[in-house]
Amino acid sequence: MSDDFDLLETNSNDKTEKVDVNWGKAIDQMKSKLAQEDDPESRQKILNATLDNVVDMAEKDRTTLLDAIKDLTDYQDEVGIMFEGFSALNAKEQKVIDDAVKRLERAKVELEDAKNKPDTWWNNLWGRKSKIKKAEQELENAQRERDASDNKAKAMFQQRIETADIQTLLNELSFKSQAAIKRLKDREIEIKEVEESLKTAIVEASNNHTKALQKKKEIEDKLEEQYALLKQARQALEEVADKQSTEYSDALAKVTTLEQKVEELEGLKNAYTTLAASKDSFVHKHNLTIKVLTSLRSNLQTHRAKLKSDTDERLKYYDGYVVALKARTDQEFAAILEHLGVKTDEHIGETLAAMHTASAKARQEMMDNIPVHEKVMQGVYGSYAEALGEIRTKDAAIQKNFADRYGIDMKEIFDEYYKADPNAPSDGGSSNPAGDPNPEASDDLLG
């Protein structure tokens, strides 16, 4: 496979065997949760599904996604994956990390600037050492903040996704998939580099193995020569009759020298034998390691190719799912509006019918009340005529009283008044019945 491998052929009819890699306890737990389908009535749910049932099913999808993302986030910590590079942070969460990074970089520059000032009495007089100490403290605080920023952003992220909708969770899962694809690609490159270094190591080990065997052969040839010389020297030593003579001492020294030489050569022989065996062993070890790494890299390529291809397809699949959820909501909204419209039509119809009925009843009541009104008015007019008769009788008495007491005949005045307005009340006559020439004075007396 080429180094720039991006995607395996996916249109082949050959089935690629799925390779399962243990990604740690957290992933195993997540896979176990996802595999727990303990609802045997799922088929019946589909057959009897209503729009309300879909809400519960979608909420279960959201809960499953949320649990999976939580487990993935925990797994990131377990294997040391950088959180901010593996989760879709929003602007507020990313700002926590960016601000911490900027502060740390600024603190490093300020400390470097403070240390770069010459160590002179003048600079020290103007606080060079205190500035260095202050810059070191700021660097320490900035580093502490940077170390904590990931956890702070992670906590904000976890809090945000607790109430996130399905679309947000699906986007997060897609983002993690994209990040995983890059991570797998980087790991493949790393493995390939190690493979190349191991190939070089195999060549070196093989060369050293060959050299060790050559050296061993050379030593063995020298040993054969030294063994022959040692045998001759020992024989010569045995042939010396006078053990106290100089000849014996020389022969003994020669034997000792040859024995030392043989010992050294045997040591070298053993060393080269061991070295050759070791290099041969590492040739096989490196070769086995290359095979294992190649197999792992192939598995990673398989995972990455499938993940990359499936993620591209899954994005479309997720879009369809989200649109379907929105369509379900719109459909429910339309149904609610339709229901409200029907109810409104019913209510308006009832109101209009009530209006017509009430209007007809009011008309009937109005017609029924006409005789009653006439009867009431007859009573009113009768009472009015009766009162008017009483007033006229009293007026006559008043006229007679005035005539008897003052010698004034009021009949003419009252007759003139009644001729002008026969129906006028008794107190509605002339404003100056006594013929007072100054009517305003009479008004003033009324107070």
Side-chain angles (χ1 to χ4, degrees):
M1 298 181 183
S2 61
D3 293 342
D4 58 350
F5 170 86
D6 282 327
L7 184 65
L8 294 177
E9 292 294 332
T10 56
N11 56 357
S12 174
N13 293 327
D14 297 333
K15 293 185 178 179
T16 304
E17 182 180 358
K18 180 180 179 182
V19 181
D20 195 5
V21 180
N22 184 4
W23 279 6
K25 182 177 67 177
I27 289 298
D28 288 341
Q29 291 175 349
M30 185 193 70
K31 288 164 65 178
S32 175
K33 289 180 183 178
L34 294 177
Q36 289 176 357
E37 278 301 330
D38 53 357
D39 189 1
E41 300 178 356
S42 58
R43 179 177 179 275
Q44 201 63 32
K45 280 186 176 182
I46 296 173
L47 294 175
N48 299 332
T50 65
L51 291 177
D52 291 335
N53 298 145
V54 174
V55 175
D56 296 333
M57 296 173 71
E59 179 57 27
K60 183 179 179 181
D61 292 341
R62 194 194 77 86
T63 303
T64 303
L65 273 171
L66 181 60
D67 292 341
I69 290 174
K70 285 181 179 179
D71 289 338
L72 279 172
T73 306
D74 293 337
Y75 171 71
Q76 293 170 209
D77 294 337
E78 184 176 314
V79 298
I81 299 176
M82 294 298 292
F83 171 74
E84 64 269 27
F86 218 72
S87 293
L89 305 181
N90 62 19
K92 186 176 181 181
E93 295 157 357
Q94 187 63 50
K95 189 174 184 299
V96 172
I97 297 175
D98 293 343
D99 289 347
V101 171
K102 290 177 182 177
R103 181 182 178 184
L104 181 60
E105 293 175 349
R106 184 168 57 250
K108 290 178 180 179
V109 172
E110 290 177 355
L111 178 59
E112 184 178 358
D113 291 342
K115 288 183 176 180
N116 286 339
K117 286 189 176 181
D119 187 6
T120 62
W121 69 271
W122 178 258
N123 288 335
N124 290 332
L125 179 65
W126 286 97
R128 174 182 175 274
K129 293 182 179 179
S130 62
K131 289 179 180 178
I132 291 176
K133 185 176 181 181
K134 183 179 179 181
E136 289 175 343
Q137 183 62 44
E138 170 60 18
L139 179 61
E140 182 179 345
N141 295 337
Q143 185 63 57
R144 191 180 301 112
E145 180 182 343
R146 175 65 186 95
D147 295 339
S149 62
D150 285 349
N151 289 333
K152 184 176 180 180
K154 177 183 175 183
M156 295 170 64
F157 167 82
Q158 292 281 45
Q159 184 178 5
R160 174 169 60 89
I161 67 169
E162 282 287 343
T163 56
D165 57 15
I166 286 183
Q167 185 170 11
T168 301
L169 295 177
L170 290 175
N171 290 339
E172 173 63 21
L173 187 61
S174 298
F175 186 91
K176 287 184 182 295
S177 297
Q178 297 288 355
I181 292 170
K182 181 179 182 303
R183 181 176 174 83
L184 291 175
K185 176 66 176 178
D186 294 340
R187 187 69 69 205
E188 292 169 32
I189 294 175
E190 181 182 2
I191 291 176
K192 185 65 176 177
E193 292 175 351
V194 174
E195 288 177 9
E196 294 300 325
S197 65
L198 285 174
K199 289 179 181 178
T200 303
I202 287 178
V203 173
E204 294 177 353
S206 180
N207 292 336
N208 290 332
H209 174 258
T210 302
K211 291 178 181 178
L213 292 178
Q214 291 174 349
K215 288 290 186 180
K216 177 177 176 258
K217 183 65 172 60
E218 292 176 5
I219 295 301
E220 287 175 344
D221 292 341
K222 290 181 179 180
L223 270 174
E224 290 295 329
E225 180 182 346
Q226 295 300 318
Y227 280 143
L229 293 175
L230 179 58
K231 183 178 180 181
Q232 294 176 0
R234 285 175 177 171
Q235 186 176 0
L237 179 63
E238 290 177 0
E239 292 176 354
V240 176
D242 187 1
K243 306 299 182 183
Q244 302 298 325
S245 64
T246 304
E247 182 181 1
Y248 183 82
S249 298
D250 293 339
L252 182 60
K254 185 176 181 181
V255 169
T256 302
T257 300
L258 289 172
E259 287 177 343
Q260 289 178 335
K261 187 66 173 178
V262 168
E263 187 70 24
E264 290 176 359
L265 290 174
E266 285 182 347
L268 287 174
K269 176 187 174 183
N270 291 335
Y272 283 121
T273 301
T274 303
L275 183 59
S278 175
K279 294 304 177 183
D280 183 61
S281 173
F282 273 107
V283 167
H284 293 292
K285 289 177 182 178
H286 291 336
N287 186 53
L288 175 62
T289 304
I290 288 176
K291 289 180 179 179
V292 172
L293 290 178
T294 303
S295 175
L296 289 174
R297 182 162 59 87
S298 176
N299 293 343
L300 288 177
Q301 287 176 329
T302 302
H303 279 294
R304 180 170 61 86
K306 188 175 186 304
L307 183 60
K308 186 176 186 301
S309 176
D310 289 354
T311 299
D312 294 339
E313 299 297 335
R314 197 166 285 127
L315 289 175
K316 304 170 188 175
Y317 182 55
Y318 291 166
D319 287 341
Y321 177 52
V322 172
V323 170
L325 287 179
K326 292 179 179 178
R328 178 263 156 205
T329 304
D330 293 340
Q331 184 177 351
E332 180 69 11
F333 185 64
I336 291 172
L337 287 178
E338 175 65 19
H339 180 72
L340 290 175
V342 170
K343 287 298 181 183
T344 303
D345 294 345
E346 293 175 359
H347 293 161
I348 291 176
E350 291 174 0
T351 304
L352 289 173
M355 285 182 182
H356 180 71
T357 302
S359 177
K361 287 182 178 180
R363 176 179 54 78
Q364 290 178 351
E365 185 178 354
M366 179 183 67
M367 299 298 292
D368 291 341
N369 285 336
I370 288 177
V372 178
H373 292 324
E374 290 178 348
K375 186 176 181 179
V376 171
M377 290 307 296
Q378 287 178 357
V380 171
Y381 288 126
S383 298
Y384 173 67
E386 182 181 351
L388 189 59
E390 293 177 357
I391 290 172
R392 287 181 175 177
T393 301
K394 189 174 182 178
D395 283 346
I398 292 173
Q399 292 177 32
K400 185 176 182 305
N401 182 271
F402 266 69
D404 293 343
R405 292 175 62 184
Y406 304 107
I408 302 173
D409 188 1
M410 297 296 295
K411 183 177 183 303
E412 183 178 345
I413 297 174
F414 277 87
D415 287 344
E416 183 181 355
Y417 170 76
Y418 286 117
K419 289 179 180 178
D421 187 3
N423 296 326
S426 61
D427 58 350
S430 173
S431 61
N432 190 12
D436 190 344
N438 189 4
E440 294 182 358
S442 298
D443 292 339
D444 291 341
L445 289 175
L446 294 176

